[in-house]
Amino acid sequence: VIKKKLNFTTFTPITAQAEQNKIQKQITKLEKNCQIQDSISPSTSPVLLVKKKNSKQRLMVDFRLRYTQCAD
């Protein structure tokens, strides 16, 4: 198992339409494969596109804010 620490110093909202389209495409694919489903939860977490070694992008959910809210 390889553990990799991601260093996100600040969260920058996605504003580029092209990136939003990439995220929507990946979310649609995950929904079709029944890997994710709609939720009615009031909790949300930001998503990020992270480049992999092969230059493709991976969709990642940043749960750090959620975990700090739970710790309070």
Side-chain angles (χ1 to χ4, degrees):
V1 175
I2 298 172
K3 292 185 179 182
K4 183 177 180 182
K5 183 177 180 181
L6 300 175
N7 186 12
F8 303 110
T9 55
T10 59
F11 170 70
T12 305
I14 296 173
T15 56
Q17 187 63 38
E19 287 187 4
Q20 289 179 356
N21 290 342
K22 288 179 186 178
I23 288 174
Q24 189 58 49
K25 184 178 177 181
Q26 289 189 23
I27 289 173
T28 302
K29 182 179 176 182
L30 292 170
E31 287 176 331
K32 283 184 180 179
N33 293 334
C34 297
Q35 293 174 315
I36 61 173
Q37 62 185 15
D38 286 336
S39 172
I40 57 171
S41 171
S43 301
T44 61
S45 294
V47 293
L48 309 164
L49 286 175
V50 178
K51 269 196 178 173
K52 298 185 334 185
K53 287 183 182 179
N54 63 2
S55 298
K56 291 185 178 182
Q57 292 183 322
R58 172 180 288 153
L59 180 71
M60 295 187 67
V61 180
D62 186 359
F63 288 110
R64 291 176 300 159
L65 179 61
R66 179 75 180 128
Y67 291 143
T68 58
Q69 290 173 345
C70 291
D72 291 343

